[in-house]
Amino acid sequence: NLLVLAAEGFRAVGGDMAEAALKRARESLDRWNLDAKLEQRGLLHLPLTDGSADAVVDSMASQHLSVPDHLGAYREAFRVLGKGGAFLCVHLAEATSDYRVLFPGSPWAWLAPTEKLVAILRQAGFASVEWDSVVRTCKGGKHRAVYVVAEAVK
């Protein structure tokens, strides 16, 4: 996501708690001769000022937060978005089969009931929330990953 945004000419800012993930992102940016600001931060403290972003993209990062921290992360996205700004959230849904087989060793991951995810986005301040589901089979078709894709507009 960061690479695409940077390639399209947006001022892209990326963050992760893991230094290894940031190193990999920097290597990818360098390989494609792209620029983006990278910081070691979590979703609860975005490195942007109030109302300064046109869009915030969460591609399966918030699902690794505890359930109570989802509200804080979504409020943080709301804080940095300008009027009419969009928050795009891709989150594994509870309909995902055999989660422990697909993603072993991830004790933090929360498989979102769609209604709960939408309710948390609204509680964070987003008045307009639209969502859809995307289903993907993996591991030879034996398992299903179901993603909730939500767009929330400030």
Side-chain angles (χ1 to χ4, degrees), residues 16-132:
D16 201 295
M17 295 299 291
E19 185 62 41
L22 294 172
K23 181 177 184 251
R24 189 171 178 186
R26 174 55 54 207
E27 290 167 354
S28 294
L29 288 163
D30 290 346
R31 184 175 11 208
W32 291 98
N33 196 29
L34 297 171
D35 188 43
K37 180 179 178 181
L38 297 174
E39 291 197 16
Q40 190 168 7
R41 289 180 181 249
L43 296 170
L44 298 172
H45 304 286
L46 298 175
L48 300 168
T49 58
D50 294 1
S52 64
D54 294 322
V56 174
V57 178
D58 166 19
S59 183
M60 299 191 304
S62 65
Q63 73 189 29
H64 297 286
L65 295 174
S66 66
V67 176
D69 280 344
H70 275 74
L71 178 58
Y74 297 161
R75 280 186 173 151
E76 183 68 353
F78 187 85
R79 177 190 69 78
V80 302
L81 286 171
K83 183 174 171 69
F87 176 51
L88 178 65
C89 173
V90 180
H91 204 300
L92 269 173
E94 66 179 342
T96 296
S97 66
D98 300 319
Y99 179 77
R100 302 234 185 274
V101 173
L102 292 171
F103 304 96
S106 184
W108 284 100
W110 173 54
L111 301 181
T114 303
E115 302 78 26
K116 179 74 171 171
L117 187 66
V118 170
I120 294 172
L121 286 164
R122 287 197 173 116
Q123 188 178 356
F126 294 102
S128 172
V129 180
E130 295 183 22
W131 65 272
D132 201 352

